[in-house]
């Protein structure tokens, strides 16, 4: 009897594995293997065509001691992430909170307005907005207001490049995290607020802090993962907007650096070393955020 | 709390959202204006926020220019993008639905490990992996094939995660009832669970479509006739300000499909994302 049961269970499990298989095969082949392999490859000299040469810590030594552009890219990535991740996170949350207080028809409109940028691929427009001559919208507005006298080279002046990239990144950053928050707010049972009102909660700030935030913890965690990934691996905006490489490498992120070595110079060993460091950054910051959010409770 | 206070607060919130929304929408609006502006109006001082002489010239130029300079007609890029995007979207929905169902509702060895693994791998789902995938794609002889664009995007941890979260809300009794009726897991998944998972499927579809549709073919493709639309738009944008009108019109065409899909599926997305949390 017992024997029969185990057999049945294995058969059941077999069915489970069969249904997992299509996803898992592609996931292991195209995500797990590349990520795991990047670790050994990081210790080699590898150009894809020839066999990888084991060179020990050489790649990492070069990265940290000889590659000044890499050191720059770490700085850029940190500045970039420290600004965009929290600002965008706060923005996602705040806008979702505000939207939730609107009537249903307006919610639809505002959600669409704030979410559309994350779908848009309109760098040409941003180039014209920040264009370095007086035909640029931003320059012309500033000149009309008398804030500047002559046009500013927003996209090539090394002082402004990173700032412009951050602005555009924030603009496109209201994505999955924003939707998760919007949904999280709508999912909260109104009876919680009614109960809160009885308990003496009197304004929307108190509602937010004592009722909403604790209930939204799962969404807070999900959105933080999304934010960390998108800010640490950003590079597309800079490449499309201020060119590659950007003036004086001012918008050169770690991602851009990896892209340069991996896809342009085919130095996969070096590129892998960069990616390993980037993954480490993401992993650590995710742990810190999780710790922080768990402590809040 | 006083009713009038809350009302005043709501009006303030509405005003803020409106002003902020106008700023957010401005670049999109400008993309449309630029797409329909005649060329001589693109470079005037001060730049105008509207055009009185809308024209389809940019769209016409886009079609001609692309076929002239790249030797491949614009329609080909559009076809490539559609083919790749639809393949990714369909496969991603089907695979993550089945895997999500199993992870949410079945018990088997390794389940807890896989569930934890999926949450961690949310972190490793990004464009960093593209660079690492390059060696693999080369070794598999997939450079310059549609497969090189489709295969790496099929298994998305985020899609699996969203499906799993949504399916775990389904009461166990429904699945037990299916088992008693003698249905196998495959049938339970597709005939009993999935008909009620349309919101989750729609969400996965939207995210899959969006990320696939905006994917540049990068180093996986260097044959012109296999390139995708975003790759070509990026080339146009990089080729300088003289192509601004063309770039804008191409961007507008690019933007329409995901926006239309999002508008139709918005309610479903909100429903699914409500369960998207990570329980920490």
């Amino acid at each position: 009897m017992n024997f029969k049961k185990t057999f049945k269970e294995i058969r059941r499990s077999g069915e489970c594995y069969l249904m997992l298989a299509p996803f898992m095969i592609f996931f292991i082949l195209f995500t797990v293997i590349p990520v795991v392999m990047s670790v050994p490859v990081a210790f080699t000299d590898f150009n894809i065509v020839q066999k990888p040469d084991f060179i020990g810590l050489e790649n990492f030594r070069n990265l940290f001691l000889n590659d000044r552009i890499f050191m720059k890219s770490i700085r850029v990535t940190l500045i970039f992430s420290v600004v965009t991740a929290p600002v965008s996170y706060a923005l996602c949350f705040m806008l979702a909170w505000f939207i939730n207080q609107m009537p249903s028809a307006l919610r639809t409109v505002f959600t669409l307005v704030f979410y559309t940028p994350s779908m848009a691929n309109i760098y040409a427009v941003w180039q014209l907005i920040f264009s370095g001559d007086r035909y640029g919208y931003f320059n012309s507005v500033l000149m009309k207001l008398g804030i500047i006298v002559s046009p500013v080279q927003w996209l090539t002046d090394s002082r402004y490049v990173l700032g412009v990239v951050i602005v555009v990144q924030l603009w496109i950053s209201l994505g999955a995290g924003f939707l998760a928050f919007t949904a999280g707010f709508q999912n909260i049972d109104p009876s919680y607020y009614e109960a809160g009102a009885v308990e003496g909660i009197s304004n929307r700030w108190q509602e937010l802090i004592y009722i909403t935030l604790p209930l939204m913890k799962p969404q807070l965690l999900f959105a933080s993962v999304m934010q960390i990934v998108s800010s640490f691996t950003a590079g597309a905006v800079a490449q499309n907007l201020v060119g590659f490489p950007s003036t004086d490498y001012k918008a050169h992120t770690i991602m851009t650096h990896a892209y340069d070595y991996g896809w342009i110079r085919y130095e996969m060993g070096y590129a892998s070393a960069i990616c390993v460091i980037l993954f480490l950054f993401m992993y650590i910051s995710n742990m810190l955020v999780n710790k922080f959010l768990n402590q809040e409770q | 709390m006083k009713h009038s206070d809350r009302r005043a607060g709501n009006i303030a919130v509405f005003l803020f959202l409106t002003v902020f929304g106008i700023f957010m929408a401005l670049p999109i609006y400008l993309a449309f204006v630029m797409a329909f502006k005649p060329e001589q109006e693109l470079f005037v001082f001060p730049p105008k926020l509207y055009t009185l002489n809308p024209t389809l010239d940019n769209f016409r130029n886009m079609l001609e220019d692309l076929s002239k300079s790249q030797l491949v007609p614009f329609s080909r890029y559009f076809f490539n993008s559609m083919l790749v995007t639809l393949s990714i979207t369909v496969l991603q929905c089907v695979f993550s639905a089945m895997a999500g169902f199993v992870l949410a509702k079945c018990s088997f060895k390794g389940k807890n490990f896989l569930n934890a693994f999926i949450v961690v791998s949310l972190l490793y789902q990004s464009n960093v992996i593209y660079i690492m995938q390059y060696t693999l794609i080369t070794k598999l002889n997939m450079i310059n094939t549609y497969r090189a664009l489709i295969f790496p995007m099929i298994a998305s941890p985020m899609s699996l995660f969203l499906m799993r979260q949504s399916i775990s809300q389904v009461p166990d009794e429904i699945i037990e009832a299916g088992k008693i009726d003698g249905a196998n897991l495959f049938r339970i998944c597709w005939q009993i669970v999935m008909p009620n998972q349309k919101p989750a499927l729609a969400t996965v579809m939207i995210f899959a479509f969006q990320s696939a549709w905006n994917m540049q073919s990068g180093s996986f493709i260097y044959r012109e006739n296999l390139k995708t639309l975003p790759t070509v738009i990026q080339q146009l944008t990089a080729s300088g300000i003289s192509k601004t009108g063309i770039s804008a019109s191409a961007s507008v065409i690019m933007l329409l499909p995901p926006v239309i899909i999002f508008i139709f599926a918005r309610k479903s997305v909100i429903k699914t994302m409500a369960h998207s949390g990570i329980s920490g």
Side-chain angles (χ1 to χ4, degrees):
Chain A
M1 198 62 196
N2 215 347
F3 199 73
K4 214 174 164 187
K5 203 179 157 202
T6 352
F7 180 74
K8 236 182 156 177
E9 249 167 43
I10 293 175
R11 238 200 64 187
R12 268 280 182 231
S13 290
E15 248 184 319
C16 293
Y17 296 134
L18 210 64
M19 287 181 70
L20 272 173
F23 184 95
M24 282 303 159
I25 289 169
F26 281 95
F27 187 62
I28 290 171
L29 195 57
F30 291 98
T31 302
V32 178
I33 290 181
V35 171
V36 171
M37 282 309 285
S38 68
V39 178
V41 171
F43 297 96
T44 64
D45 182 8
F46 181 38
N47 61 7
I48 295 181
V49 184
Q50 283 150 318
K51 273 203 164 146
D53 252 345
F54 182 76
I55 51 167
L57 287 171
E58 195 62 28
N59 284 329
F60 293 93
R61 196 176 302 138
N62 281 333
L63 272 174
F64 284 104
L65 297 179
N66 302 328
D67 191 342
R68 297 180 86 184
I69 297 169
F70 178 65
M71 295 319 274
K72 252 186 185 167
S73 78
I74 291 186
R75 233 194 69 154
V76 170
T77 306
L78 285 181
I79 296 177
F80 186 83
S81 308
V82 166
V83 177
T84 55
V87 171
S88 153
Y89 190 68
L91 217 56
C92 287
F93 187 86
M94 189 186 74
L95 291 172
W97 182 43
F98 283 176
I99 286 175
N100 190 50
Q101 304 179 20
M102 294 289 110
S104 154
L106 283 174
R107 273 183 205 168
T108 311
V109 175
F110 282 126
T111 309
L112 185 68
V113 166
F114 294 130
Y115 186 71
T116 303
S118 75
M119 298 186 269
N121 188 341
I122 55 163
Y123 297 111
V125 176
W126 281 107
Q127 277 184 344
L128 193 63
I129 290 176
F130 285 115
S131 175
D133 46 41
R134 57 197 194 113
Y135 304 130
Y137 284 88
F138 197 49
N139 273 336
S140 91
V141 169
L142 291 182
M143 282 163 80
K144 267 210 158 154
L145 294 174
I147 296 169
I148 54 172
V149 187
S150 55
V152 174
Q153 299 287 330
W154 298 107
L155 299 174
T156 46
D157 189 319
S158 66
R159 281 171 299 173
Y160 305 119
V161 168
L162 186 55
V164 169
V165 172
I166 287 176
V167 167
V168 177
Q169 176 75 26
L170 284 175
W171 183 74
I172 64 170
S173 71
L174 299 169
F178 169 65
L179 289 183
F181 283 146
T182 316
F185 276 113
Q186 293 188 19
N187 205 35
I188 293 174
D189 196 324
S191 63
Y192 283 106
Y193 296 116
E194 285 155 24
V198 174
E199 304 263 318
I201 282 177
S202 64
N203 62 37
R204 61 183 96 201
W205 287 104
Q206 290 179 348
E207 272 179 2
L208 180 72
I209 289 164
Y210 296 113
I211 301 176
T212 315
L213 276 179
L215 286 171
M216 293 255 301
K217 200 181 132 200
Q219 278 84 22
L220 290 170
L221 282 169
F222 175 78
S224 78
V225 172
M226 292 294 136
Q227 276 318 329
I228 288 169
V229 172
S230 59
S231 27
F232 271 102
T233 61
V237 174
Q239 281 171 38
N240 283 301
L241 197 64
V242 297
F244 172 74
S246 46
T247 313
D248 203 15
Y249 294 99
K250 284 290 183 201
H252 197 77
T253 59
I254 300 182
M255 186 66 211
T256 320
H257 205 53
Y259 169 86
D260 183 8
Y261 279 92
W263 278 12
I264 294 177
R265 306 181 202 207
Y266 297 114
E267 291 183 31
M268 292 315 282
Y270 203 68
S272 297
I274 299 171
C275 291
V276 166
I277 294 169
L278 189 58
F279 276 139
L280 231 64
F281 268 130
M282 294 206 296
Y283 190 72
I284 293 169
S285 44
N286 186 50
M287 262 179 21
L288 290 177
V289 170
N290 277 358
K291 234 185 186 157
F292 176 73
L293 285 175
N294 279 322
Q295 220 173 36
E296 287 277 274
Q297 289 297 291
Chain B
M1 161 185 14
K2 264 192 287 172
H3 204 67
S4 57
D5 281 2
R6 184 159 280 257
R7 194 134 172 219
N10 278 343
I11 291 168
V13 164
F14 172 75
L15 287 178
F16 175 84
L17 283 175
T18 307
V19 171
F20 197 78
I22 288 173
F23 271 99
M24 290 292 286
L26 201 59
I28 306 271
Y29 168 77
L30 283 177
F32 278 88
V33 171
M34 280 161 64
F36 292 100
K37 250 187 196 179
E39 216 179 328
Q40 62 274 17
E41 270 186 42
L42 278 172
F43 303 103
V44 289
F45 181 81
K48 288 223 164 45
L49 288 174
Y50 56 88
T51 174
L52 294 175
N53 315 299
T55 158
L56 288 172
D57 279 358
N58 286 321
F59 290 92
R60 220 167 284 133
N61 286 341
M62 172 185 72
L63 296 176
E64 275 167 20
D65 195 80
L66 283 181
S67 33
K68 233 184 282 159
S69 60
Q70 323 266 22
L71 303 165
V72 176
F74 176 81
S75 55
R76 180 64 197 237
Y77 300 120
F78 194 84
F79 169 79
N80 289 343
S81 269
M82 265 300 164
L83 178 79
V84 169
T85 305
L86 290 179
S87 313
I88 292 171
T89 309
V90 170
L91 291 171
Q92 216 183 87
C93 284
V94 172
F95 289 4
S96 55
M98 288 197 297
F101 165 69
V102 173
L103 284 177
K105 286 296 167 195
C106 301
S107 56
F108 59 95
K109 239 187 159 173
K111 180 183 171 178
N112 292 341
F113 169 76
L114 278 181
N115 271 326
F117 191 62
I118 290 306
V119 175
V120 174
S121 59
L122 280 177
L123 264 189
Y124 296 89
Q125 168 200 38
S126 59
N127 29 7
V128 191
I129 294 173
Y130 289 143
I131 291 170
M132 301 171 174
Q133 281 163 345
Y134 188 77
T135 315
L136 185 76
I137 300 284
T138 315
K139 294 290 177 213
L140 294 173
N141 272 327
M142 297 203 311
I143 296 292
N144 279 330
T145 61
Y146 288 124
R147 276 168 298 153
L149 299 176
I150 297 170
F151 283 6
M153 302 255 316
I154 289 177
S156 148
M158 187 162 110
S159 301
L160 176 55
F161 180 78
L162 292 174
M163 284 312 297
R164 190 199 73 184
Q165 296 301 88
S166 175
I167 295 171
S168 56
Q169 310 291 322
V170 176
D172 285 336
E173 293 80 54
I174 292 178
I175 288 147
E176 286 308 317
K179 279 182 187 166
I180 289 164
D181 286 348
N184 61 22
L185 278 185
F186 191 79
R187 272 192 47 200
I188 295 176
C189 174
W190 289 111
Q191 289 182 358
I192 301 175
V193 176
M194 285 311 148
N196 296 313
Q197 291 296 321
K198 280 178 198 137
L201 286 169
T203 307
V204 169
M205 185 189 86
I206 285 177
F207 286 134
F209 188 93
Q210 219 165 288
S211 55
W213 182 247
N214 281 317
M215 176 181 60
Q216 297 183 1
S217 41
S219 294
F220 292 170
I221 302 286
Y222 51 86
R223 257 177 45 199
E224 203 57 45
N225 61 354
L226 294 179
K227 280 184 180 166
T228 56
L229 203 49
T231 317
V232 176
I233 291 179
Q234 196 252 334
Q235 285 170 3
L236 276 175
T237 315
S239 67
I241 207 91
S242 64
K243 297 249 169 80
T244 298
I246 297 177
S247 298
S249 54
S251 303
V252 164
I253 289 183
M254 273 283 304
L255 181 60
L256 288 179
V259 169
I260 291 168
I261 290 181
F262 182 74
I263 290 175
F264 279 108
R266 192 198 70 96
K267 277 235 165 73
S268 304
V269 179
I270 297 294
K271 245 187 204 155
T272 308
M273 295 304 275
H275 309 300
S276 68
I278 299 170
S279 43

